[in-house]
């Protein structure tokens, strides 16, 4: 076995894309990632490189200038990128979700307007459901839109926007009362608005403010922000799909593919942690031999590699299921849950193998140790994944007695 996490049955095109991305990660991302992360610096040169590689349009259909690739190709690229630096995968993830939602649910005019420039990386996407008072419980959203002639007026506060500052298009989920009388189920009275804005911070459009970056323990470099709407006027033709009341379902569709993506990130970070652990274990000597020769450390390496393989297999399965056109919520939920938990465990084992040096900022594992927890939360916590998995299992295994 040459390396862990091989994927059988890839086409020549997929293999070529992956090898180009891997090469880019090894040469352009890994050597600079830790330094940039410690400085919380946006990786502009890396983003420019990804643009050149066409990564921002990987899954956008060819007719709109993208590469028209599958979710599997995309997820395998994300795995490679996260192996280099998880924050970079965060920069493309929300862009990818918004492009996917436009492709699946946008009007023809919306697709023609946004997708070609998104494929080129000129417009970059962020998506916004969470608010200060809610994350898991999306149905509790309080931000709202009120119709006023050919426009909607949006008011409310959003929280935790990945790429909130650097993006120029935000898909925002709010409650809309028009056509949805009092008492309508929350899921049927939500609408996704496509909000265009200038990148940057402060008042980026009349009625729309992006305060500064939220300070985070890890996952630095990529900006995470709040978003404040105070009388923000959005034209009616910027309702995703042109019809109000469908936003919840559109967002959930986006989050489902986003879950495969987060699973892929977990796989990539775990792989890097394994690489760091297995290398260090052969360099460090205690009691007259490399620590890799102590059985306790070898067992750790065995457990870590097994987890890397298992998470990769589940992630690939979930992506392939979606690509085949089937419902994949169960597989995506399982893959996201397992990959993020295993990632945290593998990173912790690699940290332990490093002994005291793992605590030093000079060692890459210190960065991974602060990054892994984000995957336990983003795109739905472990508890939320288990709720989805449990519900689907009870549908499949309904007791007939
Ligand atoms: C770095 C970062 C980037 C993010 N980026 C984005 C983004 O781009 N766009 C966006 O919209 N959001 C984003 N988020 C928000 C993220 O999706 C939420 O943080 C996440 O969904 C959890 O919501 P919460 O933080 O409100 O926790 P809560 O929902 O308050 O949950 C708190 C705890 O209670 C548990 N819990 C909640 N409900 C139940 C239940 N019914 N049963 C059992 N346990 C339960 C949760 O699992 C968790 O352990 C980001 C978050 C972070 C940290």
């Amino acid at each position: 076995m040459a390396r862990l996490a091989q994927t059988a049955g890839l086409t020549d095109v997929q293999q070529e894309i992956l090898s180009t991305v891997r090469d880019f990660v090894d040469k352009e991302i890994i050597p600079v990632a830790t330094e940039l992360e410690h400085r919380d610096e946006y990786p502009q040169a890396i983003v420019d490189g990804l643009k050149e590689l066409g990564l921002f349009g990987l899954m956008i259909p060819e007719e709109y200038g993208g590469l028209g690739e599958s979710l599997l190709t995309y997820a395998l690229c994300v795995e490679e990128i996260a192996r280099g630096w998880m924050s970079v995968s965060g920069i493309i993830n929300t862009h990818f979700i918004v492009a996917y939602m436009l492709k699946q649910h946008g009007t023809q005019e919306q697709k023609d307007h946004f997708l070609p420039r998104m494929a080129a990386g000129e417009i970059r996407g962020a998506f916004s459901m969470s608010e200060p008072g809610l994350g898991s419980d999306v149905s509790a959203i309080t931000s709202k839109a009120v119709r006023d002639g050919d426009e909607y007026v949006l008011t409310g506060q959003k929280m935790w926007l990945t790429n909130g500052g650097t993006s120029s298009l935000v898909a925002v989920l709010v409650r809309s009362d028009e056509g949805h009388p009092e008492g309508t189920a929350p899921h049927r009275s939500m609408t996704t608005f496509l909000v265009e804005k200038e990148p940057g911070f402060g008042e980026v459009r009349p009625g729309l403010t992006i305060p500064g970056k939220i300070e985070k323990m890890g996952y630095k470099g990529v900006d995470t922000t709040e978003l404040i709407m105070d009388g923000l006027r959005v034209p009616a033709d910027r309702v995703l799909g042109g019809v109000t009341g469908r936003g919840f379902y559109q967002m959930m569709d986006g989050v489902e593919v986003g879950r495969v993506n987060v699973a892929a990130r977990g796989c990539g970070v775990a792989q890097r942690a394994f690489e760091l652990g297995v290398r260090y274990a052969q360099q460090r000597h205690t009691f007259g031999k490399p620590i890799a020769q102590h059985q306790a450390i070898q067992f750790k390496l065995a457990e870590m590699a097994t987890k890397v393989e298992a998470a990769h297999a589940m992630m690939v399965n979930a992506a392939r299921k979606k690509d085949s056109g089937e419902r994949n919520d169960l597989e995506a939920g399982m893959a996201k849950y397992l990959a993020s938990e295993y990632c945290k465990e593998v990173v912790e084992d690699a940290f332990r193998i490093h002994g005291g040096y793992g605590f030093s900022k000079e060692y890459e594992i210190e960065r991974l140790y602060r990054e892994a927890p984000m995957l336990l939360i983003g795109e739905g916590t472990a508890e939320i994944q288990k709720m989805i998995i449990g519900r689907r299992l009870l549908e499949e295994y309904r007791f007939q007695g």
Side-chain angles (χ1 to χ4, degrees), residues 23 42 69 301 335:
D23 205 43
Y42 189 76
E69 270 298 325
L301 294 171

Side-chain angles (χ1 to χ4, degrees), residues 64 71 114 166 175 181 196 223 234 266 271 309 328 330 366:
Y64 298 107
L71 179 59
F114 289 112
T166 40
R175 197 172 288 282
E196 291 168 88
D223 50 298
V234 182
Q271 272 174 49
E309 285 290 282
N328 87 330
L330 178 67
E366 178 270 343

